[in-house]
Amino acid sequence: MCDFEHEGKVDVSLQWFAKEANRLPEASWFGCALNVDNPNLWMMEKMGLPVSPLYVVKDGNRNLHAIGRGVSYQGADGSAFIETMDAALAAPGQKRLLQFDNSSVSLDKGWHFNLHNNI
């Protein structure tokens, strides 16, 4: 959880060594859920423009997005930016790699960044 009363920056660096090969379908995720007043204000950067994950065209994959620099929040309680330098796939709300439907998940469950998959 994040408290907007204190401005600051949190850097997270993840390193993974000696991962064994696997022929079964698998994926690794890094999730981040910040405690914000209105999670529906989250925007993702797509092709240099802010896009709401809640306003994706029908059959336009509402579950997984290729993003640019990251996702941002701007609300009455403050602002936040989650920059992802090496993981371009983001799932709003929950990890949904192979779910192809038109449902949307609540954004209060945060963002999940796909670090790798072999699917």
Side-chain angles (χ1 to χ4, degrees):
M1 297 294 175
C2 184
D3 181 4
F4 287 119
E5 292 179 21
H6 305 287
E7 288 188 34
K9 180 178 177 181
V10 176
D11 288 321
V12 176
S13 178
L14 175 67
Q15 296 181 12
W16 189 1
F17 301 98
K19 173 166 177 343
E20 293 186 25
N22 189 355
R23 291 179 23 198
L24 299 174
E26 65 178 352
S28 296
W29 300 84
F30 180 83
C32 182
L34 302 179
N35 185 16
V36 297
D37 283 348
N38 186 354
N40 292 335
L41 296 178
W42 279 103
M43 303 293 272
M44 54 191 171
E45 181 190 310
K46 293 181 73 84
M47 297 180 65
L49 299 172
V51 176
S52 171
L54 301 176
Y55 296 106
V56 174
V57 67
K58 182 181 177 195
D59 296 329
N61 195 353
R62 297 176 178 170
N63 302 313
L64 192 64
H65 299 275
I67 59 173
R69 287 187 50 221
V71 297
S72 61
Y73 173 84
Q74 182 72 44
D77 55 334
S79 62
F81 182 70
I82 303 172
E83 181 178 21
T84 173
M85 298 174 75
D86 298 315
L89 292 178
Q94 69 183 29
K95 302 171 251 183
R96 301 194 302 174
L97 187 61
L98 291 175
Q99 187 171 342
F100 305 106
D101 60 24
N102 286 306
S103 67
S104 294
V105 176
S106 174
L107 297 178
D108 64 352
K109 300 191 185 316
W111 287 88
H112 304 275
F113 302 96
N114 184 246
L115 303 178
H116 101 282
N117 71 77
N118 64 354
I119 300 171

